[in-house]
Amino acid sequence: MTIRLPRAGLPQLLAFLLLLGLNFLASPQFFDLRFQNGRLFGSLVDVFNRGAPVAILALGMVMVIALRGIDLSVGAVMAIAGAIAATLVQTEPVAVAVAAALGAGIVCGLWNGILVTVLRIQPIVATLILMVAGRGVAQLITEGRIVTFNAPALAWFGGGSVAGVPAPVAITLALLALAAILVRGTALGLMVEATGANARASTLAGIGTRPVTLAAYTWCGFCAALAGVIAAADIQGADANNAGLWLELEAILAVVVGGTSLFGGRFSLGLAVLGAFIIQAMNTGILLSGVRPEFNLVVKAVVVLAVLLLQSPGLATLLPRRRGPRP
């Protein structure tokens, strides 16, 4: 199944190419690639490699935002999954450690989904609970210390490769293909868009809006757990205090930059992933240009403001409209 960017994604693609060009101006060696130890290396590869965890988070977040929801807990779920994987791999096989970490993410997603669908708690409040408590759970698992491990099979998720492509990038592409098959190859994507556009009308039309919403939050939890395993494997350890810190904001920004409206409805998996790489390209460009890293936050805030203004119905009413010729 081929994954095509819609015509609406042309501005995002041009923005990404523009950022890569600016990075090249800041560092003429930006596009230099080398093949070493069976893996590609270079600044361009680092953009995709470092942006992979946020891209995976965006693949889960885009489904939730398409339903007019939000998930602020993905960073904490990353910390929980990383802590479980790093702790269990010392006594259990890697497959068991990874399965337990991903299972914990699914449970966290189910928890958020139940709070939103069954108890009817506002998504921002429901996920804020796990955002706060989840990092505390991760600290309890690691006993407040950085847990390190020496397991090459688990470290592969962060430093391995598939046919020369870094493992995080390969995992992201595989997850994108899987999500595209589930969402666009079945009626699930249509039900998500219908529920996000008008939940009441979708219910009257016979769509199970609660199961759809529950599935979206569960998928988001799974993606966050997978990103947490990759983050832990990258440093070969689990830092419950810093793992996934503020990445929930970058995931939301990636989805918004990808063109998904915060008012729900239509969404694009490919553009959400592209949005994550756009953010990482901005981060890399700022570092290559010698500007202080603190400006990253300012730039991201400006981008969020610009995108939200473009989506704002109130701004559309203030702008002058073009008048056609009189009949």
Side-chain angles (χ1 to χ4, degrees), residues 164-251:
V165 178
V169 180
I171 293 173
T172 302
L173 295 177
L175 191 66
L176 174 59
L178 175 62
I181 293 173
L182 293 176
V183 173
R184 300 306 179 187
T186 67
L188 179 60
L190 180 60
M191 290 189 290
V192 169
E193 291 177 345
T195 302
N198 193 321
R200 182 173 179 81
S202 300
T203 302
L204 296 176
I207 297 177
T209 56
R210 286 190 178 184
V212 170
T213 304
L214 188 63
Y217 278 97
T218 303
W219 168 255
C220 190
F222 171 80
C223 292
L226 181 57
V229 171
I230 293 175
D234 184 38
I235 63 172
Q236 297 189 32
D239 184 359
N241 293 319
N242 298 311
L245 190 64
W246 307 122
L247 287 190
E248 58 273 357
L249 302 182
E250 292 203 2

Side-chain angles (χ1 to χ4, degrees), residues 70-74 76-77 80 108 111-112 115-116 119 121-137:
I70 203 76
D71 191 346
L72 299 179
S73 67
V74 291
V77 175
I80 293 175
C108 291
W111 167 260
N112 288 332
L115 292 182
V116 173
L119 300 182
I121 299 177
Q122 289 291 332
I124 191 171
V125 177
T127 58
L128 183 63
I129 296 173
L130 186 57
M131 177 185 177
V132 176
R135 200 161 293 277
V137 171

Side-chain angles (χ1 to χ4, degrees), residues 55-69 179 183-184 192 216 219-220 251-252 254-256 258-261 264-273:
I56 292 175
L57 291 179
L59 280 174
M61 188 72 72
V62 68
M63 301 286 289
V64 174
I65 292 181
L67 292 167
R68 295 193 182 187
V183 173
R184 300 306 179 187
V192 169
W219 168 255
C220 190
I252 296 171
V255 174
V256 174
T260 300
S261 173
R266 297 187 63 84
F267 65 96
S268 172
L269 297 171
L271 290 181
V273 172

Side-chain angles (χ1 to χ4, degrees), residues 266-293:
R266 297 187 63 84
F267 65 96
S268 172
L269 297 171
L271 290 181
V273 172
L274 182 58
F277 293 141
I278 288 175
I279 294 172
Q280 185 57 44
M282 286 193 300
N283 295 340
T284 302
I286 290 176
L287 293 176
L288 292 176
S289 61
V291 181
R292 290 187 301 174

Side-chain angles (χ1 to χ4, degrees), residues 3 20 41 57 61 65 90 96 100 106 112 162 183 192 220 271 276 295 308 310:
I3 302 173
L20 294 183
F41 289 90
L57 291 179
M61 188 72 72
I65 292 181
Q90 300 179 16
V96 174
I106 292 174
N112 288 332
V162 178
V183 173
V192 169
C220 190
L271 290 181
F295 280 93
L308 292 179
L310 291 175

